[in-house]
Amino acid sequence: SADQVIAISEDDDTLVLRADAGGGLPDTGAIAQRQRLPPAPERILILGWNGKAQAIIEELDNYVAPGSETIVICRQDGVRDTLVSVAKRMQRQKVRFADGDITHAATLAAVKAASFEHVILLSYSDLPIQEADAKTLITLLHLRNLADAAGTRLSIVSEMMDIRNRALAQIARADDFIVSDKLVSLMMSQLSENKNLEQVFKVLFSSEGSEVYIRPMTDYITLGSTVDFYTVLEAAAQKGETAIGYRLMQFADDKTRGFGVNVNPRKSERHTFGEHDKIVVLAED
């Protein structure tokens, strides 16, 4: 047969197919019957601007709930006119623009940055790399101070130009760091090993088909239950999804523990998941 298996593994030589590989029986009594609530409108704050910003806004329109709002703050010629054109094509979100220096704390305080569900911090890629990353780091520190003052934890995705600056950025507790060149190199190296992965990546990174989502574990497993990953797999399967991992939020700031993320865990390991722990799934929406 020409059919192929898509597997998650540390490397291609660590994947071993065995005819006698047995599986554990899921504990169906620990599977939660909660249904996921319909998505609510979101407010997204985009700070900074570069050539990827328009594509990001357009792609967001495929994911956000109707009635969502995206606000862009930057100081760059031509952005206002670009966003006026983009806003007319959006179906689910309103797009607004504000001129401002994102490295000024007063700018972020005025827009109430800590009140947004998501913050996307983009690099000014027209600047020298270190100057662009310096602006990003300053903005991250301001965002941290605002979040601390508001008693909240901001969901921040931050773009860095130089991977060496990532360690500095982690001081600001951003949830994730996208180092553009590094991300491209990681994907290209995998494609060089197996060109068939191109179609898989296309599905995962587009709004069509399944994508990677991280959701509350309590939607899948009854709080307080101690279960293995076979049970987590079954809980996701009952929703038409594929579980690929989990995140233990007690380790969310621990670099040595992968910030709590465990993808492709050993199926027999048992965990008692907490109220704030997450499941990583492949799902249609």
Side-chain angles (χ1 to χ4, degrees):
S1 173
D3 294 341
Q4 295 178 305
V5 172
I6 300 172
I8 297 175
S9 182
E10 185 175 0
D11 203 349
D12 55 4
D13 59 2
T14 62
L15 181 63
V16 179
L17 301 179
R18 292 173 50 189
D20 62 340
L25 294 176
D27 179 4
T28 55
I31 296 177
Q33 301 302 318
R34 290 173 51 180
Q35 295 298 314
R36 190 162 56 92
L37 297 175
E42 302 169 276
R43 297 176 69 241
I44 301 165
L45 179 63
I46 296 179
L47 302 172
W49 188 265
N50 59 39
K52 296 181 285 293
Q54 181 175 335
I56 290 172
I57 295 170
E58 292 172 344
E59 191 65 22
L60 278 172
D61 204 56
N62 295 316
Y63 292 98
V64 296
S68 296
E69 181 181 43
T70 297
I71 295 178
V72 178
I73 300 178
C74 69
R75 181 154 287 169
Q76 190 154 308
D77 293 341
V79 173
R80 184 188 297 274
D81 293 339
T82 297
L83 289 179
V84 168
S85 175
V86 169
K88 294 176 181 177
R89 301 194 301 272
M90 298 298 98
Q91 301 296 315
R92 301 183 180 183
Q93 62 181 328
K94 294 180 180 179
V95 180
R96 305 182 188 278
F97 171 78
D99 177 85
D101 188 339
I102 63 173
T103 64
H104 287 177
T107 300
L108 303 177
V111 77
K112 298 181 179 178
S115 69
F116 284 78
E117 282 82 13
H118 307 286
V119 178
I120 299 175
L121 180 51
L122 297 176
S123 296
Y124 284 104
S125 54
D126 57 324
L127 297 175
I129 289 176
Q130 296 306 321
E131 183 178 346
D133 279 358
K135 285 182 176 290
T136 298
L137 292 167
I138 292 169
T139 305
L140 279 170
L141 290 171
H142 288 322
L143 289 171
R144 174 183 177 179
N145 290 336
L146 288 171
D148 287 347
T152 187
R153 182 182 181 118
L154 279 176
S155 171
I156 305 172
V157 175
S158 178
E159 181 183 30
M160 304 293 292
M161 302 295 289
D162 188 338
I163 194 170
R164 293 172 297 181
N165 291 324
R166 178 172 177 169
L168 288 172
Q170 286 173 343
I171 297 172
R173 286 189 242 153
D175 282 6
D176 202 358
F177 308 94
I178 304 300
V179 184
S180 302
D181 292 344
K182 179 68 172 178
L183 190 63
V184 172
S185 66
L186 288 170
M187 182 176 291
M188 290 186 68
S189 63
Q190 290 197 43
L191 288 174
S192 69
E193 293 281 328
N194 187 342
K195 65 180 181 180
N196 294 318
L197 282 172
E198 180 188 7
Q199 295 303 320
V200 178
F201 289 148
K202 280 184 177 180
V203 171
L204 291 178
F205 295 121
S206 67
S207 58
E208 293 79 21
S210 292
E211 295 88 45
V212 179
Y213 293 99
I214 186 164
R215 292 174 172 157
M217 184 64 81
T218 50
D219 286 356
Y220 297 78
I221 299 297
T222 303
L223 187 63
S225 301
T226 301
V227 298
D228 57 24
F229 202 69
Y230 291 112
T231 302
V232 177
L233 284 166
E234 176 61 23
Q238 290 186 10
K239 298 178 185 294
E241 303 171 357
T242 301
I244 62 173
Y246 55 81
R247 188 180 191 192
L248 303 178
M249 297 308 293
Q250 63 177 313
F251 304 119
D253 294 317
D254 189 343
K255 181 180 179 181
T256 64
R257 298 291 295 266
F259 302 101
V261 176
N262 190 350
V263 174
N264 194 24
R266 187 178 296 278
K267 308 300 183 291
S268 59
E269 288 184 358
R270 298 175 65 82
H271 290 280
T272 303
F273 293 103
E275 181 180 1
H276 303 293
D277 291 337
K278 309 293 184 182
I279 184 174
V280 184
V281 297
L282 294 176
E284 286 278 352
D285 52 34

